[in-house]
Amino acid sequence: MRGFENFISYNDALGKISMKLKIKTETLCIASALNRISASDVLSNEYVPDNDKSAVDGYAIISDDTMNASIENPARLDIKYTVRPGQVPGSIDHGECAEVYTGSYIPINSNAVVKAEDTENHGDSIMVYRHLNMNENISKMGEDLYPGFNIIKKDSLIEAQHIAAMEAVKIEKIDVYKKIKLCIINTGDEVYYNSVRNSTGYMLKSFYSMPYIDVIGPFISRDDKNEIMNIINKNINNCDIMIITGGSSIGRYDLVGDVLSGLGKCIFSGVSIKPGRTVSLFNLNGRPVISCSGLPVAALISSYFIISKIIKNTFNISIEKPISGRLSSNVSNRIGFTKFQICRTYISDNNVIIEPLKTTGSGLISSVIKGNSFIIINDGLEGIAMNSIVMAYLIGDVKWA
Amino acid sequence: MRGFENFISYNDALGKISMKLKIKTETLCIASALNRISASDVLSNEYVPDNDKSAVDGYAIISDDTMNASIENPARLDIKYTVRPGQVPGSIDHGECAEVYTGSYIPINSNAVVKAEDTENHGDSIMVYRHLNMNENISKMGEDLYPGFNIIKKDSLIEAQHIAAMEAVKIEKIDVYKKIKLCIINTGDEVYYNSVRNSTGYMLKSFYSMPYIDVIGPFISRDDKNEIMNIINKNINNCDIMIITGGSSIGRYDLVGDVLSGLGKCIFSGVSIKPGRTVSLFNLNGRPVISCSGLPVAALISSYFIISKIIKNTFNISIEKPISGRLSSNVSNRIGFTKFQICRTYISDNNVIIEPLKTTGSGLISSVIKGNSFIIINDGLEGIAMNSIVMAYLIGDVKWA
């Protein structure tokens, strides 16, 4: 058995992760593009509203006609016609108004809209009791979107509001990145022969099953260098990023680490984090390959910080779900290690409470069932005091007290 | 034109939302159950680990053999054999040890494991330099999961960690609720005749496209009572919840409101919120039907708070994504209205900053493109001061400064 000789700090590891993913693009209908990543800027080529429109239900008027209007001295305006949304109106003259609805075009010459409830309706005329400013209650042409407005930036997550804006300006297709192909390989005789179930493989597959990621695998290999090498070689050119679990601990490092050393370039091997310190990163044919612990939580956390950084390097998105809150008890740390402390983050009385879990083994699946998040305790800290405001990263839904 | 006569406060509206969804269940393989809602408690029926196992790579020993071990007086132990993970070991005697790996079963009689790096290997024996406590570096049988351990509670979101735990204890199927069928109907001549695109319909469809929700529609109706009624009647028994946009404003209230009043029971009609105050809730054949503004952001926000409450009533999950942070500027409010203030929530230097947007029209699509969240300003407040810690609700991904 031999040890990892070059454990580096968490911050140094982050500094060394400069790789980017190389993802091809495809064109989708906007209805299929939700939660995918945009591959180009999308600019509006239209005005929304496409003309001045009423922002309320009421009457389009000429502002000057209400100049001296008051409760004592209301302005009387004749209702010339009604403009339904979508109808193209004519004009009005002084002393006239037009009934309009929210979204109706404003008649020619009118420059304000009085709300229906601010008037008295006399059948074919209305009484207005106050002065309306010019443009009051009017949505101006292009006040929402206009030619050149950047609906979505390149490399960003496409969300409901982007779909709505593209629909509004009649953009029907969008260039997006193809889904990131993430290949998962789990090594271990115990898993291969089913004496231990592949909970790590399903943890990773489930966790990374995001709308912009296609998980390939999990594939299982025995603790055999040739078998590991064959599975890597078979999949490396069909994926964008690879996680290999197991065969990464000090005693068994040779297996996966030696195979990867022979196939590509080691970026780092061993990081002073808990859990998951046996994590390594390699560059194989320009693709990042992560070797990490076979224990589910260690594999999750050690792959998470690397994949998170690589995705941030590549796109303007993050897999992180940060939430800031108050630490409900002291947490300790061993200087020299960056600790990912599993916590239960919950909302209580409109406050975010981050409760560190007192489990002995942070690698236990039960810890991330009782918890739903982690905080990161820097390797220079002996701990963090109760009541500190800290940032937690959700790996499950927030809870409600 | 007539007004809404019974505007109620936001809190009163929340209080009146007592409806629950009635959703049938189905049985899925665990691999298909990610992000669905569990329909029963799932208990472990196995121990994980299934026996005492080594938590490290090293040597299984008898703790007493190291009682007086020190740098000056190391204990020498003969390596009897190697236990690979999954192999069933025999026993060891005093003066002996067995090479073990992380996850290996512990030989009979052994009760501690010394890490490889804490020993000196002499080929067929090792030197141990300190006393090992009983159970040191041993994962005890069942310390992670055990019979009766609640892997997931009824009515909860099924996440990666639950899938991993079910895989670990060989649970292959799980009862889940069928997807919630959410039907969207957008009314408006202007939308029907395509003089305005149906951005509201696509906003809602995209926003509510969650793994446990099936969106049906959007369907478009002209401003015609019979047409609206026909579309409602055609879909109401094939969905669990319905949103109808447009025809809800003061001037045009009669259309959707009158149709719904004739078909079911009104729970409330008009809520003092901005934007979206024309929102109404009806009970049609036991199903919640929301009538709300045709403007995209007003429709989103006014349907959101109702659907959020109904889902919380029904399950132990929430569609809300709360995040607490510091308000970067003052926000004002008109007493008597609960304001949903669109904000841009971002992380800067490990702090969450919540920046209220200064848009005039909070109903603009561009406001939720520039912003990604909202805060709720209670109807009794004139505003919230800069630097206050407030809760924002994400409707898009958090940004990074």
Side-chain angles (χ1 to χ4, degrees):
Chain A
M1 292 188 179
R2 66 174 176 83
F4 280 55
E5 278 144 32
N6 299 303
F7 271 75
I8 61 172
S9 73
Y10 174 62
N11 281 329
D12 285 349
L14 286 178
K16 282 175 181 280
I17 304 170
S18 57
M19 293 187 80
K20 293 182 184 189
L21 302 175
K22 291 158 197 149
I23 311 289
K24 290 206 171 70
T25 65
E26 60 185 325
T27 303
L28 295 181
C29 296
I30 61 165
S32 309
L34 184 68
N35 292 325
R36 297 288 294 272
I37 305 167
S38 60
S40 62
D41 279 26
V42 176
L43 305 182
S44 173
N45 43 18
E46 303 219 354
Y47 292 93
V48 174
D50 60 351
N51 224 306
D52 290 359
K53 287 185 173 177
S54 179
V56 297
D57 294 309
Y59 302 90
I61 63 162
I62 297 167
S63 160
D64 280 353
D65 286 353
T66 63
M67 186 66 81
N68 300 308
S70 66
I71 298 287
E72 297 75 25
N73 182 31
R76 172 187 293 272
L77 301 171
D78 294 331
I79 304 174
K80 194 170 179 189
Y81 49 75
T82 295
V83 189
R84 299 182 71 88
Q87 288 184 336
V88 178
S91 62
I92 60 170
D93 286 324
H94 283 288
E96 294 177 339
C97 69
E99 189 186 29
V100 292
Y101 297 92
T102 305
S104 292
Y105 290 127
I106 300 300
I108 295 165
N109 295 333
S110 69
N111 58 13
V113 176
V114 56
K115 288 183 189 172
E117 63 261 43
D118 292 344
T119 66
E120 196 174 292
N121 186 311
H122 287 188
D124 54 4
S125 68
I126 58 166
M127 305 297 273
V128 182
Y129 297 96
R130 70 172 184 85
H131 174 58
L132 273 284
N133 291 316
M134 208 189 288
N135 289 326
E136 194 166 338
N137 294 322
I138 290 181
S139 298
K140 299 297 286 180
M141 173 175 165
E143 77 170 18
D144 194 352
L145 307 174
Y146 46 83
F149 179 91
N150 199 328
I151 292 174
I152 187 161
K153 294 204 175 77
K154 183 173 183 291
D155 299 328
S156 302
L157 194 65
I158 301 169
E159 297 167 338
Q161 44 271 47
H162 306 119
I163 306 276
M166 289 189 282
E167 175 69 21
V169 300
K170 309 185 186 71
I171 291 172
E172 292 179 346
K173 289 176 183 298
I174 180 169
D175 292 335
V176 303
Y177 291 99
K178 291 190 174 192
K179 292 189 181 191
I180 300 165
K181 287 189 197 162
L182 168 67
C183 179
I184 297 172
I185 300 172
N186 306 105
T187 71
D189 288 353
E190 72 282 16
V191 179
Y192 187 93
Y193 293 111
N194 222 9
S195 90
V196 171
R197 296 285 286 243
N198 189 16
S199 52
T200 302
Y202 282 93
M203 172 80 96
L204 296 178
K205 182 185 176 76
S206 303
F207 185 78
Y208 291 112
S209 285
M210 299 173 183
Y212 50 84
I213 298 179
D214 243 351
V215 175
I216 302 170
F219 301 112
I220 297 176
S221 168
R222 276 171 290 201
D223 289 319
D224 176 278
K225 284 192 195 179
N226 280 325
E227 188 168 328
I228 294 169
M229 182 153 60
N230 287 341
I231 295 186
I232 293 172
N233 283 334
K234 196 172 157 192
N235 288 286
I236 190 68
N237 292 320
N238 299 322
C239 73
D240 302 301
I241 186 164
M242 184 178 272
I243 304 175
I244 309 175
T245 73
S248 78
S249 64
I250 292 166
R252 302 159 79 200
Y253 171 74
D254 291 342
L255 284 178
V256 174
D258 275 9
V259 170
L260 289 175
S261 296
L263 294 174
K265 181 174 169 296
C266 179
I267 296 168
F268 55 75
S269 175
V271 181
S272 301
I273 57 171
K274 285 193 164 181
R277 69 197 171 117
T278 59
V279 67
S280 303
L281 177 62
F282 290 81
N283 178 333
L284 255 69
N285 304 348
R287 293 172 179 81
V289 177
I290 297 164
S291 159
C292 64
S293 165
L295 296 173
V297 178
L300 179 65
I301 281 173
S302 58
S303 63
Y304 175 97
F305 87 86
I306 296 175
I307 290 180
S308 175
K309 181 75 182 337
I310 290 172
I311 285 182
K312 273 188 184 170
N313 289 347
T314 311
F315 308 110
N316 188 24
I317 66 169
S318 175
I319 63 169
E320 293 171 14
K321 294 180 183 169
I323 184 167
S324 176
R326 187 169 59 77
L327 200 63
S328 69
S329 66
N330 296 329
V331 285
S332 62
N333 185 40
R334 184 171 142 197
I335 295 265
F337 279 87
T338 294
K339 183 175 181 181
F340 290 77
Q341 167 71 50
I342 304 291
C343 297
R344 180 170 170 271
T345 295
Y346 63 96
I347 312 289
S348 171
D349 198 21
N350 225 31
N351 294 306
V352 181
I353 310 296
I354 299 171
E355 177 193 345
L357 294 187
K358 305 285 185 195
T359 50
T360 44
S362 61
L364 305 182
I365 301 176
S366 54
S367 71
V368 287
I369 288 181
K370 293 169 189 156
N372 58 351
S373 54
F374 58 80
I375 60 172
I376 302 175
I377 309 173
N378 192 283
D379 54 11
L381 294 178
E382 285 188 323
I384 303 180
M386 175 170 153
N387 289 326
S388 299
I389 300 299
V390 296
M391 192 74 83
Y393 296 88
L394 292 168
I395 52 174
D397 254 25
V398 70
K399 307 297 178 195
W400 304 77
Chain B
M1 291 185 179
R2 64 175 178 84
F4 281 56
E5 279 144 32
N6 299 303
F7 271 75
I8 60 173
S9 73
Y10 174 61
N11 280 331
D12 285 349
L14 286 178
K16 282 175 181 282
I17 305 170
S18 57
M19 293 186 80
K20 294 183 183 187
L21 302 174
K22 292 158 198 149
I23 312 288
K24 291 206 171 70
T25 65
E26 61 185 323
T27 304
L28 295 181
C29 296
I30 61 166
S32 308
L34 184 66
N35 292 325
R36 297 288 294 271
I37 304 167
S38 61
S40 63
D41 279 27
V42 176
L43 305 182
S44 172
N45 43 16
E46 302 219 353
Y47 292 93
V48 175
D50 60 351
N51 224 309
D52 290 359
K53 286 184 173 178
S54 178
V56 297
D57 293 309
Y59 301 91
I61 63 162
I62 297 166
S63 159
D64 280 354
D65 285 356
T66 63
M67 185 66 82
N68 300 309
S70 66
I71 297 287
E72 296 77 24
N73 181 32
R76 173 187 293 272
L77 300 171
D78 294 332
I79 303 174
K80 193 169 180 191
Y81 49 76
T82 294
V83 189
R84 299 182 70 89
Q87 287 183 337
V88 177
S91 62
I92 59 170
D93 285 325
H94 283 286
E96 293 178 341
C97 69
E99 187 185 32
V100 290
Y101 297 91
T102 305
S104 292
Y105 291 125
I106 299 299
I108 295 165
N109 294 333
S110 68
N111 57 14
V113 176
V114 57
K115 287 184 191 175
E117 62 261 43
D118 291 344
T119 65
E120 195 174 293
N121 186 313
H122 289 187
D124 56 4
S125 68
I126 57 167
M127 305 296 272
V128 182
Y129 298 96
R130 68 172 185 85
H131 173 59
L132 273 285
N133 291 316
M134 208 189 289
N135 290 325
E136 195 166 338
N137 294 323
I138 290 181
S139 298
K140 299 298 285 180
M141 173 175 164
E143 76 172 15
D144 194 352
L145 307 175
Y146 46 82
F149 179 90
N150 200 328
I151 291 174
I152 186 161
K153 293 203 175 76
K154 184 173 181 292
D155 300 327
S156 303
L157 194 66
I158 302 168
E159 297 167 338
Q161 44 271 48
H162 306 120
I163 306 275
M166 289 189 281
E167 175 69 21
V169 300
K170 308 185 187 73
I171 290 171
E172 292 178 347
K173 291 177 182 297
I174 179 169
D175 292 334
V176 303
Y177 290 99
K178 291 191 174 192
K179 293 190 182 189
I180 300 165
K181 287 190 197 160
L182 168 67
C183 179
I184 296 172
I185 299 171
N186 306 106
T187 71
D189 288 352
E190 72 282 15
V191 180
Y192 187 92
Y193 293 112
N194 222 10
S195 88
V196 172
R197 296 284 286 243
N198 190 17
S199 52
T200 303
Y202 283 93
M203 172 79 97
L204 296 178
K205 183 186 175 78
S206 303
F207 185 78
Y208 291 113
S209 285
M210 300 174 181
Y212 51 83
I213 297 179
D214 243 351
V215 175
I216 301 169
F219 302 111
I220 297 177
S221 169
R222 278 172 288 200
D223 288 321
D224 176 279
K225 284 192 193 178
N226 280 325
E227 189 168 330
I228 293 169
M229 183 155 60
N230 288 340
I231 296 185
I232 293 172
N233 282 333
K234 195 173 157 190
N235 288 285
I236 190 68
N237 292 319
N238 299 322
C239 73
D240 302 302
I241 187 164
M242 183 178 273
I243 304 176
I244 309 174
T245 73
S248 79
S249 64
I250 291 167
R252 300 161 79 200
Y253 169 75
D254 291 342
L255 285 178
V256 174
D258 275 8
V259 170
L260 290 176
S261 297
L263 294 174
K265 183 173 168 293
C266 179
I267 296 169
F268 55 74
S269 174
V271 181
S272 301
I273 56 171
K274 284 191 166 185
R277 68 196 172 118
T278 60
V279 67
S280 304
L281 177 62
F282 290 81
N283 178 333
L284 255 67
N285 304 349
R287 293 172 177 81
V289 177
I290 298 163
S291 159
C292 62
S293 166
L295 297 171
V297 178
L300 179 65
I301 282 173
S302 58
S303 64
Y304 174 98
F305 87 86
I306 296 175
I307 291 179
S308 174
K309 181 73 185 332
I310 291 172
I311 286 181
K312 273 189 184 170
N313 289 347
T314 312
F315 307 112
N316 188 24
I317 66 169
S318 175
I319 63 169
E320 294 171 13
K321 295 179 181 168
I323 183 167
S324 176
R326 188 169 57 76
L327 199 63
S328 69
S329 66
N330 296 329
V331 286
S332 62
N333 185 39
R334 182 171 142 200
I335 295 265
F337 279 87
T338 294
K339 185 175 181 181
F340 290 77
Q341 167 71 51
I342 304 292
C343 297
R344 180 170 171 270
T345 295
Y346 62 97
I347 312 290
S348 170
D349 198 20
N350 225 31
N351 293 308
V352 180
I353 310 296
I354 298 172
E355 177 193 347
L357 294 186
K358 305 285 185 194
T359 49
T360 44
S362 62
L364 304 181
I365 302 176
S366 54
S367 72
V368 286
I369 288 180
K370 294 169 190 157
N372 58 352
S373 54
F374 58 80
I375 60 171
I376 302 175
I377 310 174
N378 193 283
D379 54 12
L381 295 178
E382 285 189 322
I384 304 179
M386 174 171 155
N387 288 327
S388 300
I389 300 300
V390 296
M391 191 74 82
Y393 296 87
L394 291 168
I395 53 174
D397 254 25
V398 72
K399 309 296 177 195
W400 304 77

